[in-house]
């Protein structure tokens, strides 16, 4: 029997009408937003609006104004931090402000989730000066938004979405062994950049492992065991054939979705994947092609060991 997919954690108690801090009357949405920040770590105001302030009142402009107003209140109360990306500081560019949990927000979230404050990473880090690191996290959230909006348009439910931080936890991280040409086994953890479970009204589920590629990974390392794209593919193939996969997902065939920077890089990744496996479970597209309109229904995806362009889900 197929086990249920992983379920997102829920607060142990719902916010009551009396839950206030710094004259802010807290809502269920505030806690859901903080929980998202806990795992994706950094978000922009437009991303926060797209996931949590989706009411139609005032249209998109009204929604973003309401979002920014709420974020200012939270920032003034030290519930969240506001970060100016270093790339913006140095270039004077238009990179948006980023938001992360602050101590007061982390404390309230920990209480409602029934977890220890020490388990929430809310303190400032040197990595906040590393724009490629931040961009990777923001890209992952943009992909989530596109897939979520595409699913809603098709009447599908996003039953689960997990970020990399969650996927590294003991509950969600599976481990496999891959064997090199000399017969030596290498331990490898299965940690996508994100995981998505979609469910249709009939209860049928589809599983997707998401890989966000910004050309920071070597595609074909000279050392077989070196971390790189081909090792990642070998890890996935070993996982799909392992008992650990069957125990978690049953007979459902999960697919790996890779979103990368451009056609040249896509071709390189696709060809490298085909050197490792004849499987067609690996799908590729580019950031500029992935939108809410195209993510599921658009013919924007290339498959390993296949030709042409395909839609992720049939019409």
């Amino acid at each position: 029997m197929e086990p249920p997919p992983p379920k997102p954690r829920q607060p142990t108690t719902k916010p009551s009408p009396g839950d206030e801090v710094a004259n802010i009357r807290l809502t269920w949405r505030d806690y859901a937003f903080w929980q998202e920040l806990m795992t994706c770590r950094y978000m922009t105001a437009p991303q926060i609006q797209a996931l949590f302030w989706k009411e139609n009142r005032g249209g998109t402009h009204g929604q973003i104004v309401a979002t920014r107003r709420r974020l200012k209140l939270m920032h003034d109360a030290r519930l969240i931090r506001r970060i100016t990306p270093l790339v913006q500081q140095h270039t004077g560019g238009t990179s948006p402000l980023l938001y992360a949990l602050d101590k007061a927000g982390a404390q309230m979230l920990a209480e409602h989730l029934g977890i220890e404050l020490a388990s929430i990473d809310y303190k400032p880090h040197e990595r906040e000066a590393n724009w490629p690191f931040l961009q990777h996290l923001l890209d992952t959230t943009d992909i989530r938004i596109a897939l979520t909006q595409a699913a809603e348009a098709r009447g599908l439910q996003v039953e689960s979405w997990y970020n990399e931080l969650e996927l590294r936890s003991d509950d969600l991280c599976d481990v496999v062994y891959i064997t090199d040409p000399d017969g030596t086994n290498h331990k490898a953890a299965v940690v996508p950049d994100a995981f998505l479970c979609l469910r249709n009204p009939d209860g049928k589920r589809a599983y997707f492992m998401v890989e966000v590629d910004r050309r920071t990974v070597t595609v074909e390392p000279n050392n077989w065991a070196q971390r790189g794209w081909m090792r990642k593919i070998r890890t996935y193939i070993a996982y799909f054939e392992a008992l650990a996969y069957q125990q978690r997902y049953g007979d459902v065939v999960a697919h790996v979705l890779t979103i990368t920077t451009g056609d040249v890089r896509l071709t390189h990744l696709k060809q490298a994947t085909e050197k490792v496996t004849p499987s067609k479970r690996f799908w590729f597209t580019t950031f500029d092609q992935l939108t809410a309109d195209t993510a599921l229904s658009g013919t924007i995806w290339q498959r390993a060991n296949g030709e042409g362009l395909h839609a992720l889900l049939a019409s």
Side-chain angles (χ1 to χ4, degrees), residues 20-267:
E20 286 192 12
V21 59
N23 296 320
I24 304 175
R25 187 172 295 276
L26 298 175
T27 67
W28 182 257
R29 176 169 57 188
D30 295 327
Y31 286 101
F33 161 50
W34 295 342
Q35 187 172 348
E36 187 65 27
L37 271 184
M38 179 179 69
T39 59
C40 73
R41 291 171 278 188
Y42 305 95
M43 297 178 72
T44 66
Q47 290 176 334
I48 296 163
Q49 179 271 314
L51 288 174
F52 297 102
W53 270 265
K54 298 185 286 187
E55 297 90 343
N56 292 324
R57 291 174 296 178
T60 303
H61 176 72
Q63 293 164 4
I64 195 64
V65 168
T67 302
R68 293 186 189 280
R69 185 184 301 120
R70 191 68 171 179
L71 292 176
K72 184 179 186 305
L73 289 174
M74 291 184 183
H75 175 259
D76 291 345
R78 298 187 175 180
L79 296 165
I80 60 175
R81 294 188 295 118
R82 190 166 57 200
I83 304 159
T84 301
L86 193 61
V87 65
Q88 183 174 343
Q89 296 173 3
H90 285 177
T91 67
T94 58
S95 299
L97 293 173
L98 307 183
Y99 295 89
L101 276 176
D102 209 341
K103 184 174 182 179
Q107 287 175 324
M108 298 196 72
L109 180 62
E111 178 182 346
H112 278 265
L113 291 176
I115 61 178
E116 297 293 328
L117 176 61
S119 67
I120 301 179
D121 186 8
Y122 63 85
K123 298 178 182 179
H125 291 274
E126 292 182 358
R127 66 192 180 198
E128 291 169 9
N130 182 344
W131 177 245
F133 167 79
L134 294 173
Q135 185 180 45
H136 186 274
L137 297 180
L138 297 176
D139 285 342
T140 303
T141 300
D142 282 338
I143 291 166
R144 176 186 178 178
I145 291 168
L147 289 167
T148 297
Q149 292 175 342
E152 291 173 349
R154 289 183 59 119
L156 303 174
Q157 177 187 356
V158 177
E159 188 169 70
S160 299
W161 173 276
Y162 287 106
N163 294 301
E164 179 186 359
L165 189 64
E166 295 170 291
L167 295 171
R168 290 188 180 278
S169 69
D170 292 339
D171 291 340
L172 296 177
C173 183
D174 290 323
V175 174
V176 295
Y177 289 88
I178 54 177
T179 306
D180 68 20
D182 296 328
T184 303
N185 288 329
H186 299 263
K187 190 175 181 179
V190 184
V191 185
D193 290 320
F195 168 83
L196 168 67
C197 172
L198 293 180
R199 189 177 71 178
N200 69 14
D202 296 330
K204 186 177 180 180
R205 296 183 178 98
Y207 297 135
F208 302 98
M209 283 76 169
V210 179
E211 294 290 342
V212 181
D213 176 72
R214 276 284 174 185
R215 295 186 296 180
T216 58
V217 173
T218 302
V219 177
E220 300 183 58
N222 292 329
N223 184 343
W224 190 95
Q226 181 180 341
R227 294 183 183 277
W229 181 255
M230 296 184 79
R231 178 186 171 97
K232 185 184 292 287
I233 299 302
R234 292 186 184 100
T235 300
Y236 274 124
I237 293 302
Y239 184 47
F240 293 151
E241 297 173 353
L243 178 61
Y245 178 88
Q246 295 176 7
Q247 291 174 331
R248 191 176 292 279
Y249 303 116
D251 295 330
V252 179
V253 176
H255 292 84
V256 180
L257 309 181
T258 299
I259 301 90
T260 189
T261 53
D263 291 336
V264 174
R265 176 70 172 185
L266 185 154
T267 298

Side-chain angles (χ1 to χ4, degrees), residues 239-312:
Y239 184 47
F240 293 151
E241 297 173 353
L243 178 61
Y245 178 88
Q246 295 176 7
Q247 291 174 331
R248 191 176 292 279
Y249 303 116
D251 295 330
V252 179
V253 176
H255 292 84
V256 180
L257 309 181
T258 299
I259 301 90
T260 189
T261 53
D263 291 336
V264 174
R265 176 70 172 185
L266 185 154
T267 298
H268 198 184
L269 294 175
K270 180 175 179 289
Q271 290 176 345
T273 301
E274 292 167 345
K275 290 181 181 179
V276 176
T277 175
S279 173
K280 294 186 177 181
R281 295 169 75 155
F282 298 88
W283 295 57
F284 304 85
T285 193
T286 58
F287 292 108
D288 61 347
Q289 294 186 84
L290 188 77
T291 68
D293 293 330
T294 63
L296 297 180
S297 303
T299 52
I300 64 168
W301 296 92
Q302 296 186 44
R303 293 185 299 185
N305 301 291
E307 301 294 334
L309 295 173
H310 306 270
L312 198 59

